[in-house]
Amino acid sequence: MTDGGVPPLRGRRRRSVRWRFTSLYAGLFLASGVVMLAVVAAFAGGSLDAAPGPESSGTGPGSDWEGAPAAALERIAALEHQLAAAQDRQTRQLLLGSAVGLLVMGALSLLLGWYAAGRVLRPLSAMTTATRRISADNLHERLAVGGPHDELRDLGDTIDELLTRLEGSFAAQRRFVADASHELRTPLATMRAAVDVTLAKPGPLPDQTRVLAGRVRTELDQVDSLLDGLLTLARAQHELPDPEAVPLGRLAADALAAQRQPVERTLDDGAPEARVRGNRTLLRRLVENLVDNAVVHNEPGGWVLVRLRADTAAVELVVENGGKVLSTDQAAELTRPFRRGGPGRTGGTGSGLGLAIVAAVTEAHGGRLVLHPREDGGLRVAVTLPRTPGPAGEGETA
């Protein structure tokens, strides 16, 4: 909002601070005005008491007016009384005018205090807006507060230093995940090759050797899948490469068609050509992870329902599935890496990165992820992403 305007209903914390400055300014003004009015009243009352009345007009015995005619004395007394009454009216008018002026200036002090507080807090408001705009994807931005070297600039410089440290920490973490994942692929490939060579040797092999080699290969595939998930997670948190218009409906249909586990799958595609702007690979991984999570963490012979809805501003992808009953706290934990919601949701497979990758990809695309446990068991996951206009001839609404 602009300075001098009516405070908005939103942004209550900023309004509260501004109102406190305004109240302090107006209170100090009113207090000083009341003190000034009390001083004026005290001096005005003193001059009124000093005014001569009929009793002090010098008409008593022994005065110089003792021989004056009675009519002259009465006239003088009347004039003195009129003078005292006029002074009294003048004093009351002065006090009344001062009180009215104090009330008017009190109301004006509220407006002036509101404007002055806005001027003082304007740099702080700009810093708040800039800080809210900065996220993990644009930690390179800085507040760069200008102006004199005062307390506000010191605060801005402190926040910039904090952002610099955060940027370095985030970059180091992403580099570590990416480098570790890449470095671990070499020994994994070596172990996989050793298993393949062992199984390819001529002649019969003991059954124990074949079983052990199969287990090792399964574990290697699991670790390789884990590393791939870590790379995807680090990539989604780092940048959004090669953005394009991607139809979520087609990705959802492909993900459902690729599932081979015995579960009923339904695609309620209300917006088949609804597109979002982003990286196709990351968005495909998002949809596949949602469908995989719904299929794997399900009950035998369960069901999976995928809905796609769109309006002019956003596209919503909803994936629901049956399964065990989850609490709200358990559902909230599922987006954290390596969390599977307890032994009942492990299914013996999975790395616990599926929904964590979904959350990272959603955040990288400026979307919103909501997990809600179903009352009769299972989970409802809703991903809302900003919509981008598709090519001519495609439907615009669901």
Side-chain angles (χ1 to χ4, degrees), residues 12 42 62 74 79 115-116 129 133 151 177 186 190 233 293 302 360 368:
R12 295 185 181 275
E74 293 179 358
L79 290 176
Y115 176 79
T129 302
R133 189 179 62 250
E151 290 82 357
V177 173
T186 299
T190 302
L233 185 61
N293 181 80
R368 182 169 59 94

Side-chain angles (χ1 to χ4, degrees), residues 238-299:
H238 180 65
E239 60 180 350
L240 189 61
D242 304 325
E244 58 179 302
V246 181
L248 279 186
R250 298 178 186 176
L251 297 182
D254 294 342
L256 286 174
Q259 288 294 330
R260 297 181 180 180
Q261 296 194 31
V263 66
E264 181 182 352
R265 303 180 294 274
T266 305
L267 174 60
D268 182 8
D269 196 350
E273 299 299 335
R275 296 171 177 265
V276 298
R277 183 167 181 80
N279 179 263
R280 182 180 293 271
T281 302
L282 292 180
L283 290 173
R284 180 184 294 111
R285 186 63 179 268
L286 178 148
V287 176
E288 290 175 350
N289 282 11
L290 286 178
V291 175
D292 288 343
N293 181 80
V295 172
V296 172
H297 303 299
N298 211 319
E299 55 191 357

Side-chain angles (χ1 to χ4, degrees), residues 40-396:
V40 171
F43 278 97
S47 62
L48 182 62
D49 295 338
E55 295 80 5
S56 60
S57 58
T59 57
S63 64
D64 296 337
W65 298 91
E66 187 175 357
L73 294 178
E74 293 179 358
R75 178 63 176 168
I76 291 174
L79 290 176
E80 290 178 346
H81 182 71
Q82 291 177 3
L83 178 62
Q87 187 177 9
D88 186 45
R89 288 195 301 271
Q90 185 178 8
T91 301
R92 286 198 299 269
Q93 290 177 354
L94 176 62
L95 293 177
L96 180 61
S98 299
V100 173
L102 180 62
L103 293 177
V104 173
M105 290 303 298
L108 185 60
S109 69
L110 287 174
L111 298 178
L112 293 176
W114 179 260
Y115 176 79
R119 294 279 297 181
V120 172
L121 295 176
R122 182 184 296 174
L124 188 59
S125 176
M127 292 166 56
T128 302
T129 302
T131 304
R132 287 175 178 171
R133 189 179 62 250
I134 297 175
S135 65
D137 297 324
N138 55 349
L139 282 174
H140 61 279
E141 295 187 10
R142 298 293 182 267
L143 301 182
V145 179
H149 288 275
D150 54 9
E151 290 82 357
L152 291 178
R153 183 163 179 178
D154 290 341
L155 176 60
D157 293 341
T158 302
I159 295 177
D160 285 342
E161 294 174 0
L162 174 62
L163 291 174
T164 300
R165 293 194 295 270
L166 284 177
E167 183 183 14
S169 299
F170 272 73
Q173 180 187 19
R174 290 162 180 164
R175 284 196 303 269
F176 172 78
V177 173
D179 294 343
S181 299
H182 280 297
E183 291 297 328
L184 287 174
R185 286 188 183 278
T186 299
L188 284 177
T190 302
M191 287 185 286
R192 184 178 285 106
V195 172
D196 293 339
V197 169
T198 301
L199 293 176
K201 285 183 178 180
L205 292 176
D207 293 338
Q208 279 188 328
T209 302
R210 290 187 178 276
V211 172
L212 180 60
R215 289 180 179 178
V216 171
R217 189 173 184 85
T218 300
E219 292 300 324
L220 289 176
D221 292 339
Q222 186 71 13
V223 174
D224 190 59
S225 176
L226 174 61
L227 292 178
D228 183 64
L230 288 174
L231 280 173
T232 303
L233 185 61
R235 185 184 183 191
Q237 293 176 340
H238 180 65
E239 60 180 350
L240 189 61
D242 304 325
E244 58 179 302
V246 181
L248 279 186
R250 298 178 186 176
L251 297 182
D254 294 342
L256 286 174
Q259 288 294 330
R260 297 181 180 180
Q261 296 194 31
V263 66
E264 181 182 352
R265 303 180 294 274
T266 305
L267 174 60
D268 182 8
D269 196 350
E273 299 299 335
R275 296 171 177 265
V276 298
R277 183 167 181 80
N279 179 263
R280 182 180 293 271
T281 302
L282 292 180
L283 290 173
R284 180 184 294 111
R285 186 63 179 268
L286 178 148
V287 176
E288 290 175 350
N289 282 11
L290 286 178
V291 175
D292 288 343
N293 181 80
V295 172
V296 172
H297 303 299
N298 211 319
E299 55 191 357
W303 56 271
V304 174
L305 176 61
V306 179
R307 292 191 181 97
L308 190 66
R309 294 177 290 190
D311 55 25
T312 57
V315 179
E316 184 184 44
L317 177 65
V318 180
V319 180
E320 293 187 65
N321 64 279
K324 295 185 179 296
V325 177
L326 298 174
S327 66
T328 303
D329 293 337
Q330 286 177 321
E333 290 286 320
L334 294 179
T335 57
R336 297 179 58 184
F338 309 110
R339 295 299 179 100
R340 302 181 180 88
R345 282 181 57 87
T346 59
T349 61
S351 60
L353 289 175
L355 291 180
I357 292 175
V358 169
V361 175
T362 302
E363 182 179 0
H365 286 79
R368 182 169 59 94
L369 174 65
V370 178
L371 278 70
H372 182 71
R374 304 179 72 255
E375 293 183 358
D376 53 350
L379 187 67
R380 180 183 186 273
V381 183
V383 175
T384 304
L385 299 171
R387 185 174 185 179
T388 185
E394 293 181 355
E396 288 299 319

